Amino acid sequence: VGGTTIIQTAGSTFDTVLAVYRGTEFTSLIQVASNNDVSVSNKTSRVSFNATAGTTYHIVVDGFDTKARGNITL
């Protein structure tokens, strides 16, 4: 099913970076959405995008500056 999709890392225990890509081959993925912080005081991430039925999406969660670590909540 297609439609507006919202993904967030609220509840994660560290400063997250979130991205969504589409495609099937790692070398040719296309970025659909990304976010580093919801706001200056909220270090969780949130993206919204229009998903298309039948399309493969890959969700990537990382720590800010590759140093932040902890538990992820999506």
Side-chain angles (χ1 to χ4, degrees), residues 7-18 35-47 73:
I7 302 171
Q8 59 186 355
T9 61
S12 296
T13 61
F14 64 103
D15 187 355
T16 61
V17 178
L18 176 64
N35 180 255
N36 180 18
D37 293 330
V38 170
S39 69
V40 173
S41 61
N42 185 345
K43 300 301 182 183
T44 61
S45 303
R46 181 179 189 268
V47 296
T73 301

Side-chain angles (χ1 to χ4, degrees), residues 20-33 57-58:
V20 178
Y21 298 87
R22 67 178 165 83
T24 55
E25 297 294 325
F26 179 76
T27 57
S28 61
L29 293 177
I30 298 167
Q31 188 177 70
V32 175
Y57 294 93
H58 303 275

Side-chain angles (χ1 to χ4, degrees), residues 42-67:
N42 185 345
K43 300 301 182 183
T44 61
S45 303
R46 181 179 189 268
V47 296
S48 176
F49 63 97
N50 190 24
T52 302
T55 300
T56 299
Y57 294 93
H58 303 275
I59 301 166
V60 178
V61 179
D62 200 357
F64 177 73
D65 200 20
T66 68
K67 296 176 184 172

